[in-house]
Structure formats: C-alpha cells, structure tokens
Amino acid sequence: MVILSTLLLSFIIIFTILYFYTFHQVKKLPFNSPANFLKSDNSNQETQTVICIGDSITHGQVSYNYVNILSNKISKEGYEFINAGINGNLAFNVLKRIESVIACNPDYITVLIGTNDVNATLSEKNNARYIKNMSLPEKPGKEFFQQSYTNLIIELKKRTKAKIALLSLPPIGEDKNHISFQRTIEYSKIIKNLSIEQKVDYLSLNEKMNNYLGPNHSPKLFYDDGFKWVMIKSYFLHFLFGYSFNRISSKNGFLIITDFLHLNSNGAKLVADLIHKWLIK
C-alpha cells in the first residue's frame, strides 16, 4: 500500500507539473509584444511599424505564428512587426486594451478578431465560459460583436495615424455544412460591412480559406465530437511531445487548421500573404 500510495502521489505531482508547464507555455507572450516594443529603442525613423491585433491565432503560441512569417519575410524591407494577439480575446477585450496599441504609434494596423466571438455562440457552455473567463459584461452575440468592433475601429482611426485593414475570419472547423463554419461566414460579412462603413481596408481571409479547402474536402474530425478536448490535446502534443502544428493538423485530418480554432503553416501563410500584399501595394 505504501508503494502504491507513493507511486500515485508521484504520478499526481508529475502530472501537475506537466499541466502547469503546458499552460504556462500557452500563455507566454510573444517576444515582439507591445509591452516589449515599448521597452525597446524604437526611435528608428526609417522603420514602419505594423501592429497585428488579434486573439490566439495572432498570439502564435498555440497557432502557427503568421506575424513571425511576415517579420521573417519583409522586415529587411523596413517593416517592424508588433504582435498584439492575446489568447481567448473577443472584440470587446481588444477594445479594453487598446491603450497599449495606441502607445506603439503604428503606421499600419491589421485586425483579426472574432473567432472567439463566434465560438462563444455555439453552445451555452461556451457562452458561460467566455463570460466568466473573459469578464464580459453581457452575453456574446452578433450585436455585442458588432458594437465592440465598431468602437475599436473608431478609436483606432481617431487616435492613430495608421492605415487599417480588417481581416475576415478563418473557419472554425473544416466542415462547410456545420454551423461553426457557417457562422464565421456570417461574422465575416459583418466585418466586411464595417470596413465599408468606416472606410478602412478589408482582407478577404475567410473567402480565401474557403476556396483553398475546395468543394469536396471532408475532415476526419467534427466540431461536435468535442472541440475542447481536441484543442487541449493539441497543446500537450505540441509543448510536451514536440509535435509541430502541421503534424497535429495532419493527425486530425485538417488542411489549414490544427484543432478547430487554430492554424497550421498553410493557414498562417494565407494570412501572412494577404497582409504582405496589402502592405506593399
């Protein structure tokens, strides 16, 4: 009994350490975060500052990092990239932390936000979890998203000199018939209409990814099979066992995403390509 108790206790301790290590890595801020940028010497007048606003897809810890793709590709052309992505954020949360974005005095701003706004509407459990975890003042929905996003763009236009581009949303899952996929299309239309209303640029990411998947693609995994478990499992595979995002994606039978919400290198390159073309046009 003593041996069994010792083994059980050891297992619990090891599991706890691995669990906290994994989620510490998940939350780790990117090296080029606004906070780190503001601490550095950013007085180079010849460099144009690009700040990419978003959620975990932009943050790049649990998703292939499209900001780093851009930085590696065109930083030598005089662009400096700031990663203002935070895991789990909705449009409301980005609006609440806008001061750090404005303080960076960007020349260009890209906004890729709304995936969590959509995901929050897909079940009552999701809704309750987002309200609690992200300190939301009301139940997430289209009106809440549109109002938060509108206020965000108004503030960015009023308080910065930056050129602004809004990206439509990556799909949630790759089953085109599922409500999760369809709702990203609905929210992307809101973003497109907002870009017209606010006279800022629109980058058609949702449309590009939809075309990339083609008409006959059928994934192995479906959202209702348990998206949250698939996502958490992906975290452990990546941070504990060294699986690349592409390997996780392939294991799950996806083409552009890894775990319903996040991107593999194919998806991230589609994002980076759109932003790159917008910057140099």
Side-chain angles (χ1 to χ4, degrees):
M1 286 296 293
V2 173
I3 294 174
L4 286 175
S5 298
T6 302
L7 288 174
L8 179 60
L9 180 60
S10 298
F11 173 80
I12 292 171
I13 291 171
I14 292 170
F15 177 81
T16 301
I17 292 171
L18 294 177
Y19 177 88
F20 280 103
Y21 168 79
T22 298
F23 282 92
H24 172 74
Q25 293 300 314
V26 166
K27 295 177 181 179
K28 190 176 179 181
L29 288 178
F31 71 92
N32 51 349
S33 67
N36 287 340
F37 175 79
L38 292 170
K39 290 176 186 176
S40 66
D41 177 14
N42 48 60
S43 59
N44 188 345
Q45 299 297 319
E46 296 181 1
T47 300
Q48 298 188 85
T49 303
V50 185
I51 189 161
C52 300
I53 299 173
D55 48 34
S56 55
I57 294 170
T58 301
H59 189 153
Q61 281 295 100
V62 293
S63 185
Y64 201 100
N65 196 315
Y66 74 82
V67 183
N68 286 355
I69 294 177
L70 284 163
S71 183
N72 292 335
K73 192 171 186 178
I74 60 171
S75 60
K76 292 181 181 178
E77 298 176 25
Y79 296 96
E80 180 167 7
F81 290 89
I82 303 172
N83 188 324
I86 297 290
N87 295 342
N89 270 196
L90 288 75
F92 169 81
N93 303 112
V94 174
L95 177 60
K96 296 291 283 186
R97 59 181 174 88
I98 196 174
E99 295 299 331
S100 64
V101 171
I102 293 167
C104 293
N105 192 28
D107 298 289
Y108 298 91
I109 297 172
T110 66
V111 183
L112 176 50
I113 196 70
T115 295
N116 292 303
D117 290 87
V118 173
N119 196 39
T121 70
L122 296 177
S123 74
E124 288 302 321
K125 284 185 178 180
N126 285 8
N127 208 288
R129 186 174 68 254
Y130 277 106
I131 290 173
K132 179 182 178 182
N133 293 347
M134 303 311 297
S135 303
L136 304 181
E138 61 182 84
K139 188 174 182 178
K142 285 184 180 178
E143 289 185 9
F144 181 57
F145 170 70
Q146 185 167 353
Q147 188 60 59
S148 298
Y149 207 137
T150 300
N151 290 340
L152 172 65
I153 303 310
I154 289 172
E155 287 298 303
L156 290 175
K157 286 177 63 180
K158 183 170 65 176
R159 301 179 62 192
T160 75
K161 59 181 174 56
K163 296 178 182 178
I164 300 170
L166 315 183
L167 288 92
S168 54
L169 303 179
I172 294 179
E174 293 182 0
D175 177 8
K176 294 190 176 185
N177 296 315
H178 195 274
I179 185 62
S180 60
F181 194 104
Q182 292 298 319
R183 196 155 289 170
T184 61
I185 296 175
E186 294 171 12
Y187 275 58
S188 292
K189 289 178 180 176
I190 294 173
I191 295 170
K192 185 174 185 178
N193 290 336
L194 178 58
S195 73
I196 296 169
E197 175 189 309
Q198 294 296 324
K199 297 181 173 59
V200 295
D201 291 328
Y202 174 78
L203 306 184
S204 52
L205 179 62
N206 184 276
E207 298 86 335
K208 190 170 185 176
M209 289 186 165
N210 201 332
N211 289 335
Y212 184 93
L213 292 174
N216 301 315
H217 173 58
S218 179
K220 294 178 183 177
L221 289 179
F222 299 90
Y223 187 91
D224 296 329
D225 294 336
F227 90 94
K228 190 177 179 184
W229 163 242
V230 173
M231 186 170 62
I232 292 173
K233 181 181 175 183
S234 296
Y235 297 168
F236 284 104
L237 286 174
H238 181 65
F239 291 111
L240 294 183
F241 297 100
Y243 278 51
S244 70
F245 291 121
N246 287 354
R247 186 179 178 187
I248 295 168
S249 176
S250 178
K251 183 180 178 67
N252 290 337
F254 293 130
L255 294 181
I256 56 176
I257 61 175
T258 58
D259 55 10
F260 296 105
L261 298 184
H262 304 110
L263 304 179
N264 65 15
S265 67
N266 295 328
K269 286 173 184 175
L270 290 173
V271 181
D273 183 58
L274 278 175
I275 295 174
H276 180 203
K277 288 179 179 177
W278 174 69
L279 288 171
I280 66 174
K281 73 176 182 180

